Amino acid sequence: LRNMMGAHFGLKPGELVRGFWDKPGGWLECQYEAHNQAVKDHVPKENLLVFNVKDGWEPLCKFLGKDVPQLPFPNINESEDLKQATTAMKIVAYGWIPFAAGAGYFGAIAARWSLDRIRW
């Protein structure tokens, strides 16, 4: 599915996801703006809400024809929360490595000690 992203703009398969590292600065931002403009050009205005989460509940609820909730608008993408989530993912992904290395080290010492005690 990721290979298809950007194909409607004539991009090579996967270029939008994996092939942008060698592009000039601002290339990815231009693709983002081009996509947004294509959506605005093709979706009827009455079916499209261009929404900024900073605007809160009101424009979203008005667009959906719903009452504004009394709850505060959720801000789950706060930068500090993202930093904590990134740290947690790194710990989960890489935290086992020191334990595996330690187990291998002590396992090798135990094996060597056992072999040294065996009389051939």
Side-chain angles (χ1 to χ4, degrees):
L1 186 61
R2 285 190 259 174
N3 279 341
M4 295 176 6
M5 293 174 66
H8 58 291
F9 292 119
L11 300 177
K12 297 177 200 168
E15 187 173 18
L16 191 60
V17 178
R18 295 180 297 277
F20 64 90
W21 299 107
D22 61 344
K23 303 292 184 196
W27 181 86
L28 202 54
E29 290 82 357
C30 287
Q31 301 307 312
Y32 173 78
E33 293 297 331
H35 169 77
N36 284 350
Q37 190 59 51
V39 170
K40 291 175 187 177
D41 292 345
H42 291 91
V43 175
K45 290 185 190 245
E46 65 273 6
N47 294 339
L48 179 65
L49 172 65
V50 178
F51 179 66
N52 186 329
V53 294
K54 294 177 181 178
D55 295 336
W57 287 117
E58 287 195 33
L60 178 61
C61 293
K62 181 180 177 184
F63 180 78
L64 296 173
K66 301 291 182 180
D67 293 332
V68 175
Q70 297 304 312
L71 300 170
F73 192 81
N75 295 317
I76 59 172
N77 288 335
E78 297 292 334
S79 59
E80 190 57 40
D81 292 338
L82 290 174
K83 287 178 188 174
Q84 289 177 359
T86 300
T87 300
M89 286 190 288
K90 287 179 182 176
I91 290 170
V92 169
Y94 302 115
W96 61 272
I97 294 173
F99 294 106
Y105 176 75
F106 288 113
I109 290 174
R112 175 66 184 214
W113 180 78
S114 296
L115 289 173
D116 285 346
R117 295 189 46 97
I118 297 174
R119 296 180 191 219
W120 298 96

